[in-house]
mmCIF file of all heavy atoms in Angstrom:
data_model
loop_
_atom_site.group_PDB
_atom_site.id
_atom_site.type_symbol
_atom_site.label_atom_id
_atom_site.label_comp_id
_atom_site.label_asym_id
_atom_site.label_seq_id
_atom_site.Cartn_x
_atom_site.Cartn_y
_atom_site.Cartn_z
ATOM 1 N N LEU A 1 12.617 11.345 9.488
ATOM 2 C CA LEU A 1 11.964 10.454 8.467
ATOM 3 C C LEU A 1 12.516 10.584 7.087
ATOM 4 O O LEU A 1 12.044 9.923 6.118
ATOM 5 C CB LEU A 1 10.488 10.717 8.440
ATOM 6 C CG LEU A 1 9.579 9.940 9.403
ATOM 7 C CD1 LEU A 1 9.498 8.502 9.079
ATOM 8 C CD2 LEU A 1 9.947 10.246 10.876
ATOM 9 N N ASP A 2 13.562 11.393 6.963
ATOM 10 C CA ASP A 2 14.173 11.646 5.593
ATOM 11 C C ASP A 2 14.665 10.266 4.980
ATOM 12 O O ASP A 2 14.409 10.004 3.839
ATOM 13 C CB ASP A 2 15.323 12.635 5.651
ATOM 14 C CG ASP A 2 14.811 14.059 5.854
ATOM 15 O OD1 ASP A 2 13.727 14.278 5.772
ATOM 16 O OD2 ASP A 2 15.722 14.923 6.099
ATOM 17 N N GLY A 3 15.188 9.478 5.774
ATOM 18 C CA GLY A 3 15.725 8.251 5.346
ATOM 19 C C GLY A 3 14.659 7.250 4.847
ATOM 20 O O GLY A 3 15.014 6.271 4.124
ATOM 21 N N ALA A 4 13.461 7.493 5.267
ATOM 22 C CA ALA A 4 12.305 6.591 4.873
ATOM 23 C C ALA A 4 11.497 7.116 3.621
ATOM 24 O O ALA A 4 10.651 6.382 3.159
ATOM 25 C CB ALA A 4 11.377 6.490 6.029
ATOM 26 N N ALA A 5 11.964 8.276 3.045
ATOM 27 C CA ALA A 5 11.172 8.836 1.932
ATOM 28 C C ALA A 5 11.090 7.907 0.805
ATOM 29 O O ALA A 5 10.015 7.772 0.199
ATOM 30 C CB ALA A 5 11.855 10.097 1.517
ATOM 31 N N GLY A 6 12.151 7.217 0.464
ATOM 32 C CA GLY A 6 12.089 6.240 -0.757
ATOM 33 C C GLY A 6 11.183 5.146 -0.554
ATOM 34 O O GLY A 6 10.374 4.824 -1.399
ATOM 35 N N PHE A 7 11.238 4.565 0.641
ATOM 36 C CA PHE A 7 10.363 3.374 1.002
ATOM 37 C C PHE A 7 8.957 3.822 1.002
ATOM 38 O O PHE A 7 8.065 3.139 0.491
ATOM 39 C CB PHE A 7 10.749 2.802 2.331
ATOM 40 C CG PHE A 7 9.687 1.961 2.929
ATOM 41 C CD1 PHE A 7 9.500 0.686 2.498
ATOM 42 C CD2 PHE A 7 8.870 2.290 4.018
ATOM 43 C CE1 PHE A 7 8.532 -0.188 3.018
ATOM 44 C CE2 PHE A 7 7.832 1.522 4.554
ATOM 45 C CZ PHE A 7 7.696 0.243 4.049
ATOM 46 N N LEU A 8 8.679 5.015 1.560
ATOM 47 C CA LEU A 8 7.287 5.462 1.699
ATOM 48 C C LEU A 8 6.727 5.791 0.312
ATOM 49 O O LEU A 8 5.590 5.428 -0.031
ATOM 50 C CB LEU A 8 7.229 6.764 2.506
ATOM 51 C CG LEU A 8 7.544 6.574 3.969
ATOM 52 C CD1 LEU A 8 7.409 7.884 4.750
ATOM 53 C CD2 LEU A 8 6.642 5.535 4.597
ATOM 54 N N ALA A 9 7.521 6.424 -0.560
ATOM 55 C CA ALA A 9 7.025 6.731 -1.942
ATOM 56 C C ALA A 9 6.740 5.469 -2.762
ATOM 57 O O ALA A 9 5.637 5.365 -3.426
ATOM 58 C CB ALA A 9 7.973 7.606 -2.684
ATOM 59 N N SER A 10 7.631 4.474 -2.635
ATOM 60 C CA SER A 10 7.455 3.283 -3.354
ATOM 61 C C SER A 10 6.228 2.444 -2.864
ATOM 62 O O SER A 10 5.467 1.847 -3.651
ATOM 63 C CB SER A 10 8.665 2.336 -3.381
ATOM 64 O OG SER A 10 9.004 1.947 -2.007
ATOM 65 N N THR A 11 5.999 2.483 -1.554
ATOM 66 C CA THR A 11 4.844 1.785 -0.986
ATOM 67 C C THR A 11 3.625 2.489 -1.382
ATOM 68 O O THR A 11 2.568 1.867 -1.783
ATOM 69 C CB THR A 11 4.983 1.807 0.610
ATOM 70 O OG1 THR A 11 6.154 1.181 1.022
ATOM 71 C CG2 THR A 11 3.758 1.194 1.210
ATOM 72 N N ARG A 12 3.514 3.776 -1.301
ATOM 73 C CA ARG A 12 2.364 4.585 -1.784
ATOM 74 C C ARG A 12 2.005 4.317 -3.250
ATOM 75 O O ARG A 12 0.860 4.065 -3.560
ATOM 76 C CB ARG A 12 2.557 6.038 -1.527
ATOM 77 C CG ARG A 12 1.276 6.853 -1.365
ATOM 78 C CD ARG A 12 0.574 7.155 -2.659
ATOM 79 N NE ARG A 12 1.340 7.896 -3.609
ATOM 80 C CZ ARG A 12 0.919 8.302 -4.781
ATOM 81 N NH1 ARG A 12 -0.238 7.937 -5.162
ATOM 82 N NH2 ARG A 12 1.721 8.888 -5.576
ATOM 83 N N GLN A 13 3.060 4.283 -4.021
ATOM 84 C CA GLN A 13 2.837 4.056 -5.438
ATOM 85 C C GLN A 13 2.397 2.643 -5.718
ATOM 86 O O GLN A 13 1.528 2.461 -6.660
ATOM 87 C CB GLN A 13 4.098 4.463 -6.209
ATOM 88 C CG GLN A 13 4.340 5.964 -6.172
ATOM 89 C CD GLN A 13 5.701 6.374 -6.677
ATOM 90 O OE1 GLN A 13 6.382 5.595 -7.332
ATOM 91 N NE2 GLN A 13 6.176 7.567 -6.449
ATOM 92 N N HIS A 14 2.853 1.688 -5.025
ATOM 93 C CA HIS A 14 2.373 0.259 -5.200
ATOM 94 C C HIS A 14 0.911 0.260 -4.796
ATOM 95 O O HIS A 14 0.137 -0.401 -5.509
ATOM 96 C CB HIS A 14 3.172 -0.593 -4.287
ATOM 97 C CG HIS A 14 2.663 -2.045 -4.183
ATOM 98 N ND1 HIS A 14 3.031 -2.936 -5.116
ATOM 99 C CD2 HIS A 14 1.774 -2.595 -3.364
ATOM 100 C CE1 HIS A 14 2.351 -4.100 -4.883
ATOM 101 N NE2 HIS A 14 1.615 -3.826 -3.761
ATOM 102 N N LEU A 15 0.510 0.778 -3.717
ATOM 103 C CA LEU A 15 -0.873 0.806 -3.336
ATOM 104 C C LEU A 15 -1.735 1.607 -4.333
ATOM 105 O O LEU A 15 -2.888 1.139 -4.659
ATOM 106 C CB LEU A 15 -1.070 1.452 -1.984
ATOM 107 C CG LEU A 15 -0.483 0.805 -0.735
ATOM 108 C CD1 LEU A 15 -0.561 1.601 0.454
ATOM 109 C CD2 LEU A 15 -1.117 -0.578 -0.604
ATOM 110 N N HIS A 16 -1.173 2.520 -4.996
ATOM 111 C CA HIS A 16 -1.937 3.289 -5.994
ATOM 112 C C HIS A 16 -2.160 2.448 -7.291
ATOM 113 O O HIS A 16 -3.160 2.482 -7.875
ATOM 114 C CB HIS A 16 -1.219 4.528 -6.354
ATOM 115 C CG HIS A 16 -2.170 5.500 -7.099
ATOM 116 N ND1 HIS A 16 -2.919 6.558 -6.588
ATOM 117 C CD2 HIS A 16 -2.394 5.679 -8.483
ATOM 118 C CE1 HIS A 16 -3.574 7.173 -7.502
ATOM 119 N NE2 HIS A 16 -3.229 6.653 -8.727
ATOM 120 N N ARG A 17 -1.127 1.637 -7.641
ATOM 121 C CA ARG A 17 -1.229 0.812 -8.731
ATOM 122 C C ARG A 17 -2.225 -0.345 -8.555
ATOM 123 O O ARG A 17 -2.767 -0.878 -9.462
ATOM 124 C CB ARG A 17 0.100 0.194 -9.063
ATOM 125 C CG ARG A 17 1.078 1.018 -9.843
ATOM 126 C CD ARG A 17 2.265 0.243 -10.377
ATOM 127 N NE ARG A 17 3.049 -0.309 -9.316
ATOM 128 C CZ ARG A 17 4.159 0.252 -8.772
ATOM 129 N NH1 ARG A 17 4.478 1.477 -9.216
ATOM 130 N NH2 ARG A 17 4.816 -0.369 -7.830
ATOM 131 N N HIS A 18 -2.443 -0.737 -7.257
ATOM 132 C CA HIS A 18 -3.270 -1.882 -6.968
ATOM 133 C C HIS A 18 -4.371 -1.500 -6.018
ATOM 134 O O HIS A 18 -4.500 -1.940 -4.839
ATOM 135 C CB HIS A 18 -2.415 -3.008 -6.304
ATOM 136 C CG HIS A 18 -1.326 -3.429 -7.202
ATOM 137 N ND1 HIS A 18 -1.411 -4.199 -8.296
ATOM 138 C CD2 HIS A 18 0.088 -3.033 -7.089
ATOM 139 C CE1 HIS A 18 -0.184 -4.312 -8.886
ATOM 140 N NE2 HIS A 18 0.670 -3.642 -8.168
ATOM 141 N N PRO A 19 -5.292 -0.607 -6.362
ATOM 142 C CA PRO A 19 -6.325 -0.181 -5.509
ATOM 143 C C PRO A 19 -7.439 -1.272 -5.296
ATOM 144 O O PRO A 19 -7.653 -2.162 -6.227
ATOM 145 C CB PRO A 19 -6.917 1.033 -6.313
ATOM 146 C CG PRO A 19 -6.757 0.684 -7.715
ATOM 147 C CD PRO A 19 -5.457 -0.055 -7.708
ATOM 148 N N GLU A 20 -8.148 -1.166 -4.211
ATOM 149 C CA GLU A 20 -9.191 -2.095 -3.937
ATOM 150 C C GLU A 20 -10.355 -1.346 -3.289
ATOM 151 O O GLU A 20 -10.269 -0.452 -2.420
ATOM 152 C CB GLU A 20 -8.750 -3.238 -2.892
ATOM 153 C CG GLU A 20 -7.652 -4.059 -3.408
ATOM 154 C CD GLU A 20 -7.062 -5.003 -2.395
ATOM 155 O OE1 GLU A 20 -6.507 -4.563 -1.396
ATOM 156 O OE2 GLU A 20 -7.190 -6.261 -2.635
ATOM 157 N N LEU A 21 -11.576 -1.785 -3.797
ATOM 158 C CA LEU A 21 -12.763 -1.082 -3.335
ATOM 159 C C LEU A 21 -13.132 -1.444 -1.916
ATOM 160 O O LEU A 21 -12.567 -2.347 -1.336
ATOM 161 C CB LEU A 21 -13.994 -1.497 -4.289
ATOM 162 C CG LEU A 21 -13.763 -1.033 -5.699
ATOM 163 C CD1 LEU A 21 -14.971 -1.654 -6.522
ATOM 164 C CD2 LEU A 21 -13.931 0.479 -5.850
ATOM 165 N N SER A 22 -14.128 -0.701 -1.357
ATOM 166 C CA SER A 22 -14.523 -0.963 0.007
ATOM 167 C C SER A 22 -14.978 -2.503 0.133
ATOM 168 O O SER A 22 -15.591 -2.982 -0.858
ATOM 169 C CB SER A 22 -15.802 -0.054 0.344
ATOM 170 O OG SER A 22 -15.426 1.274 0.335
ATOM 171 N N PHE A 23 -14.583 -3.007 1.223
ATOM 172 C CA PHE A 23 -14.886 -4.475 1.593
ATOM 173 C C PHE A 23 -14.075 -5.436 0.796
ATOM 174 O O PHE A 23 -14.304 -6.669 0.904
ATOM 175 C CB PHE A 23 -16.387 -4.728 1.510
ATOM 176 C CG PHE A 23 -17.309 -3.767 2.175
ATOM 177 C CD1 PHE A 23 -18.097 -2.890 1.422
ATOM 178 C CD2 PHE A 23 -17.299 -3.602 3.547
ATOM 179 C CE1 PHE A 23 -19.016 -2.015 2.111
ATOM 180 C CE2 PHE A 23 -18.065 -2.685 4.257
ATOM 181 C CZ PHE A 23 -18.896 -1.903 3.472
ATOM 182 N N GLU A 24 -13.191 -4.939 -0.097
ATOM 183 C CA GLU A 24 -12.386 -5.848 -0.937
ATOM 184 C C GLU A 24 -10.873 -5.667 -0.705
ATOM 185 O O GLU A 24 -10.091 -6.056 -1.533
ATOM 186 C CB GLU A 24 -12.675 -5.643 -2.405
ATOM 187 C CG GLU A 24 -14.184 -5.821 -2.799
ATOM 188 C CD GLU A 24 -14.424 -5.493 -4.258
ATOM 189 O OE1 GLU A 24 -13.486 -5.203 -5.000
ATOM 190 O OE2 GLU A 24 -15.594 -5.585 -4.588
ATOM 191 N N GLU A 25 -10.517 -5.099 0.405
ATOM 192 C CA GLU A 25 -9.049 -4.643 0.659
ATOM 193 C C GLU A 25 -8.114 -5.780 1.104
ATOM 194 O O GLU A 25 -7.291 -5.553 1.906
ATOM 195 C CB GLU A 25 -9.071 -3.504 1.637
ATOM 196 C CG GLU A 25 -10.055 -2.355 1.382
ATOM 197 C CD GLU A 25 -11.405 -2.587 2.068
ATOM 198 O OE1 GLU A 25 -11.699 -3.699 2.441
ATOM 199 O OE2 GLU A 25 -12.121 -1.562 2.237
ATOM 200 N N ALA A 26 -8.276 -6.994 0.589
ATOM 201 C CA ALA A 26 -7.518 -8.130 1.102
ATOM 202 C C ALA A 26 -5.998 -7.956 0.839
ATOM 203 O O ALA A 26 -5.176 -8.229 1.743
ATOM 204 C CB ALA A 26 -8.126 -9.422 0.454
ATOM 205 N N GLU A 27 -5.640 -7.595 -0.426
ATOM 206 C CA GLU A 27 -4.262 -7.370 -0.696
ATOM 207 C C GLU A 27 -3.596 -6.234 0.080
ATOM 208 O O GLU A 27 -2.461 -6.356 0.582
ATOM 209 C CB GLU A 27 -4.081 -7.148 -2.208
ATOM 210 C CG GLU A 27 -4.493 -8.346 -3.085
ATOM 211 C CD GLU A 27 -4.306 -8.111 -4.524
ATOM 212 O OE1 GLU A 27 -3.681 -7.136 -4.964
ATOM 213 O OE2 GLU A 27 -4.822 -8.866 -5.382
ATOM 214 N N THR A 28 -4.344 -5.210 0.181
ATOM 215 C CA THR A 28 -3.837 -3.971 0.955
ATOM 216 C C THR A 28 -3.602 -4.448 2.379
ATOM 217 O O THR A 28 -2.556 -4.070 2.977
ATOM 218 C CB THR A 28 -4.820 -2.866 0.778
ATOM 219 O OG1 THR A 28 -5.016 -2.545 -0.525
ATOM 220 C CG2 THR A 28 -4.217 -1.644 1.594
ATOM 221 N N ALA A 29 -4.572 -5.127 2.948
ATOM 222 C CA ALA A 29 -4.543 -5.527 4.388
ATOM 223 C C ALA A 29 -3.317 -6.468 4.568
ATOM 224 O O ALA A 29 -2.602 -6.427 5.525
ATOM 225 C CB ALA A 29 -5.805 -6.175 4.814
ATOM 226 N N ALA A 30 -3.145 -7.363 3.635
ATOM 227 C CA ALA A 30 -1.956 -8.281 3.706
ATOM 228 C C ALA A 30 -0.614 -7.580 3.711
ATOM 229 O O ALA A 30 0.356 -7.897 4.412
ATOM 230 C CB ALA A 30 -2.050 -9.325 2.644
ATOM 231 N N LEU A 31 -0.503 -6.601 2.799
ATOM 232 C CA LEU A 31 0.764 -5.782 2.666
ATOM 233 C C LEU A 31 1.006 -5.043 4.067
ATOM 234 O O LEU A 31 2.084 -5.025 4.575
ATOM 235 C CB LEU A 31 0.637 -4.786 1.522
ATOM 236 C CG LEU A 31 1.870 -3.970 1.305
ATOM 237 C CD1 LEU A 31 1.990 -3.641 -0.222
ATOM 238 C CD2 LEU A 31 1.787 -2.584 2.050
ATOM 239 N N VAL A 32 -0.034 -4.431 4.497
ATOM 240 C CA VAL A 32 0.110 -3.680 5.784
ATOM 241 C C VAL A 32 0.473 -4.608 6.948
ATOM 242 O O VAL A 32 1.395 -4.341 7.697
ATOM 243 C CB VAL A 32 -1.308 -2.960 6.134
ATOM 244 C CG1 VAL A 32 -1.278 -2.436 7.553
ATOM 245 C CG2 VAL A 32 -1.524 -1.848 5.133
ATOM 246 N N ALA A 33 -0.228 -5.708 7.068
ATOM 247 C CA ALA A 33 -0.051 -6.680 8.114
ATOM 248 C C ALA A 33 1.418 -7.193 8.051
ATOM 249 O O ALA A 33 2.153 -7.436 9.058
ATOM 250 C CB ALA A 33 -0.994 -7.737 8.102
ATOM 251 N N GLY A 34 1.866 -7.465 6.817
ATOM 252 C CA GLY A 34 3.293 -8.036 6.664
ATOM 253 C C GLY A 34 4.301 -7.105 7.092
ATOM 254 O O GLY A 34 5.212 -7.529 7.857
ATOM 255 N N HIS A 35 4.183 -5.828 6.665
ATOM 256 C CA HIS A 35 5.277 -4.853 7.183
ATOM 257 C C HIS A 35 5.185 -4.716 8.729
ATOM 258 O O HIS A 35 6.235 -4.739 9.416
ATOM 259 C CB HIS A 35 4.949 -3.468 6.604
ATOM 260 C CG HIS A 35 5.426 -3.402 5.154
ATOM 261 N ND1 HIS A 35 6.697 -3.699 4.723
ATOM 262 C CD2 HIS A 35 4.771 -2.954 4.043
ATOM 263 C CE1 HIS A 35 6.860 -3.562 3.404
ATOM 264 N NE2 HIS A 35 5.705 -3.057 3.023
ATOM 265 N N LEU A 36 3.970 -4.593 9.330
ATOM 266 C CA LEU A 36 3.903 -4.414 10.745
ATOM 267 C C LEU A 36 4.452 -5.598 11.539
ATOM 268 O O LEU A 36 5.092 -5.404 12.525
ATOM 269 C CB LEU A 36 2.372 -4.174 11.111
ATOM 270 C CG LEU A 36 1.784 -2.989 10.579
ATOM 271 C CD1 LEU A 36 0.223 -3.031 10.690
ATOM 272 C CD2 LEU A 36 2.198 -1.721 11.345
#
C-alpha cells in the first residue's frame, strides 16, 4: 500500500475539510460511491 499513501492522505484531508453531520453525509457518500 506504499504507493497509495499520497492518494489516501489527500482523500482523508479532503474529507476532513468537508465534514458532514449524522444523516447529512450526501457529499461524503457521493465521493465514496464515485471512487468505488
